[in-house]
Amino acid sequence: MAHEPPATFPGRWVGGVSLVVGPLLLLAGVLLRVRYDFFYPSQLRAYEGHPTLIAASYSAFGAGCVLLSPGIVLLASRIARQRRELALWGGTLAVLGLSARTFHAGVDHLAFQLAAQEGAEAATRTVGQAYGAFHVFSTLNAAILGGWVLLALGAHWSGVLGPWRALALALTAVLPLGVLKGTSPGSLVAVAGLCLALVPLGVSVLRSGPLPARRVVVGRLLLVGAAGTAMFLLGQAG
């Protein structure tokens, strides 16, 4: 009797949702701050004047980086069926790059809190003095850039993505990296390419199997809601 292959991480639902939601959050993040100058002094002044808007922008971008990681794992696993080495290195570098961007998001948050407490000018001086300071995640700058190119090559050569969507995925490599980066033309091109490449793939993944029973859907939603509420309250408690 034939047995189905065991389920692998992250699975169809987590991976598919990640491929859809992650790029869209990144797109929302860059669009919300598109009106402001790219460099960090202007970003800090923008936060001082419009804290809710800028906080929403950077929160969406940071959340998109975190939520995209399972989708990259799923993409790499599909590439690995035909192009194992490109899947291994491209997937690893892309996930490490997203981790580095998450670190940058933490620094952004601290800088914005400084602007809220001491003013944008004081925050700008502090950030400027510390901008070149070494941190371990700076060693991942090449991963932030190179992982997308390797994934794009693997996705094309393995047949997971067509040539134009693979090219769109490779454009993610031009997304600016570092602390307190605003939106540039390159940002818009990179994130638009990411959405074009991955959102349709995520939809295809979600539609590739049967829908779960209604009671399973309701149960999972309740579980996610309860867990999310508990995690939020725990996080607010410090």
Side-chain angles (χ1 to χ4, degrees):
M1 179 179 179
H3 295 280
E4 293 184 1
T8 57
F9 178 81
R12 176 163 64 99
W13 291 103
V14 173
V17 169
S18 171
L19 289 168
V20 173
V21 175
L24 293 178
L25 282 173
L26 293 174
L27 179 62
V30 299
L31 288 177
L32 284 172
R33 56 181 183 260
V34 70
R35 74 181 79 170
Y36 302 106
D37 185 68
F38 176 77
F39 293 103
Y40 71 88
S42 297
Q43 295 296 300
L44 291 167
R45 288 195 298 269
Y47 181 83
E48 188 176 45
H50 305 278
T52 301
L53 175 66
I54 299 301
S57 169
Y58 279 82
S59 295
F61 191 91
C65 290
V66 173
L67 293 177
L68 185 55
S69 291
I72 298 305
V73 174
L74 178 63
L75 173 61
S77 69
R78 293 196 166 197
I79 294 171
R81 297 171 186 172
Q82 299 292 330
R83 299 285 179 170
R84 184 179 180 86
E85 289 297 314
L86 283 173
L88 171 64
W89 291 106
T92 299
L93 291 176
V95 170
L96 289 176
L98 291 171
S99 299
R101 289 191 184 276
T102 304
F103 169 80
H104 296 154
V107 179
D108 295 341
H109 175 74
L110 180 60
F112 288 139
Q113 300 315 300
L114 181 60
Q117 298 297 322
E118 304 294 337
E121 290 187 10
T124 299
R125 286 195 301 271
T126 300
V127 172
Q129 292 167 359
Y131 211 85
F134 173 79
H135 56 80
V136 66
F137 287 101
S138 64
T139 61
L140 297 178
N141 286 348
I144 295 175
L145 302 174
W148 299 110
V149 175
L150 294 178
L151 277 178
L153 289 172
H156 175 51
W157 289 342
S158 65
V160 174
L161 295 178
W164 291 111
R165 286 174 56 199
L167 177 60
L169 181 61
L171 290 175
T172 310
V174 305
L175 183 64
L177 58 91
V179 173
L180 293 172
K181 292 296 189 292
T183 298
S184 67
S187 305
L188 296 172
V189 169
V191 178
L194 186 69
C195 290
L196 178 63
L198 296 188
V199 171
L201 177 62
V203 173
S204 175
V205 168
L206 291 173
R207 298 178 63 182
S208 64
L211 293 174
R214 182 178 301 177
R215 61 182 179 82
V216 174
V217 174
V218 172
R220 288 178 177 174
L221 289 176
L222 291 174
L223 178 61
V224 169
T229 300
M231 293 168 67
F232 173 80
L233 294 175
L234 181 62
Q236 293 304 300

